Amino acid sequence: MLVLLPPSETKALGGEGPPLDLDALSWPDLSPPRRKLADAVVELAADVPASLVALGLSVRQQDEVSRNAELWTAPTVPALRRYTGVLYDALGFASFSRREREKAHRRLVVASALFGLVGGADPIPAYRLSGASTLPAVGGLRSFWRPTLEPVLAEIDDLVVDLRSGTYAALAPIAGAVSVRVVTEDATGRRLTVSHHNKMYKGRLAAVLVRLGREPSTVDGLARAVSRAGLTVEVTADRSLELLATD
């Protein structure tokens, strides 16, 4: 089983690992587009006003551009420690046991605007780039990534639980992946898509999936295992789950 997470705009700073080495990342077939995009990000960072526009940042966020300028020289940390925010707080990687961390490194993969995909243990620097960005040197990231990333994802034989947001799912759809919709119930029992709890519940679900002793191979098996762990889920279509937010 592979759980595909969205990235986060916020990232932990610093690190103790060596500078970025694309050969040290999972999915080496992605190295050529990764290098091209990383070089484009560094080149763009030399023009701060243009970077702010391309990245959708304000003048007060110039530090983000500075981090992009140092992409090839900055220290790294494993991806599951680099990404922060609501989903990653709910995942609670820092609270995992050693065995759970090893499983998280195998089962969790982060979709990345800069790297395409990164494994949980892949060493990466802090950076700023959104899946919706358009860079002068490469254009829109959807058209940049899809020709390379889609075939790579198509080769994954495991059951894939796709927790990506729409922006990152658009970079490369995955045929046969299990999609998850976080919903809440109103007073009449009608289910509505929620945004407030979406990231938190997806983080909780990812933590549950890391801790499963036996990896499910079907959607029904996945739903049963998640329900036993205390989350309320329902199979709503052939490859779709609804996860009920109860907070």
Side-chain angles (χ1 to χ4, degrees):
M1 177 178 61
L2 204 64
V3 184
L4 191 52
L5 302 176
S8 60
E9 297 289 359
T10 58
K11 298 171 184 69
L13 303 181
E16 64 282 345
L20 177 63
D21 177 4
L22 295 182
D23 293 334
L25 303 184
S26 306
W27 292 281
D29 288 350
L30 297 178
S31 288
R34 285 166 172 163
R35 185 173 300 279
K36 182 176 182 179
L37 193 51
D39 284 341
V41 166
V42 172
E43 180 182 357
L44 180 62
D47 185 338
V48 174
S51 291
L52 296 178
V53 172
L55 301 176
L57 302 176
S58 69
V59 174
R60 291 179 297 177
Q61 295 173 293
Q62 292 188 42
D63 285 350
E64 302 276 11
V65 178
S66 298
R67 281 188 276 278
N68 281 357
E70 299 169 353
L71 193 65
W72 289 114
T73 58
T76 59
V77 295
L80 289 179
R81 289 173 49 201
R82 178 65 75 192
Y83 295 103
T84 61
V86 175
L87 187 150
Y88 290 89
D89 287 346
L91 171 65
F93 179 77
S95 68
F96 285 178
S97 67
R98 179 177 178 180
R99 184 179 180 186
E100 289 169 345
R101 291 187 184 193
E102 291 173 351
K103 289 168 68 175
H105 288 158
R106 294 196 305 270
R107 292 183 181 179
L108 302 183
V109 175
V110 182
S112 166
L114 181 57
F115 301 113
L117 299 171
V118 287
D122 286 357
I124 60 172
Y127 67 91
R128 184 62 179 254
L129 187 66
S130 166
S133 298
T134 297
L135 302 185
V138 299
L141 295 190
R142 179 177 179 180
S143 58
F144 176 84
W145 273 119
R146 190 163 184 170
T148 306
L149 192 54
E150 195 166 13
V152 169
L153 290 170
E155 292 177 358
I156 298 174
D157 293 329
D158 302 301
L159 179 70
V160 177
V161 182
D162 191 355
L163 302 183
R164 294 177 297 174
S165 60
T167 297
Y168 289 89
L171 297 182
I174 309 174
V178 178
S179 63
V180 178
R181 175 176 174 244
V182 180
V183 298
T184 187
E185 288 185 349
D186 64 16
T188 67
R190 182 179 58 165
R191 290 190 171 181
L192 307 170
T193 302
V194 296
S195 56
H196 178 66
H197 294 299
N198 181 60
K199 293 179 180 180
M200 180 177 69
Y201 269 84
K202 285 186 175 180
R204 290 181 181 178
L205 175 60
V208 165
L209 296 179
V210 166
R211 292 186 168 107
L212 291 181
R214 176 178 294 181
E215 295 187 359
S217 57
T218 66
V219 179
D220 288 337
L222 176 66
R224 288 194 296 271
V226 172
S227 296
R228 287 195 296 269
L231 295 179
T232 303
V233 295
E234 180 181 331
V235 179
T236 56
D238 183 41
R239 310 290 290 184
S240 299
L241 292 179
E242 283 189 349
L243 173 58
L244 182 63
T246 56
D247 290 1

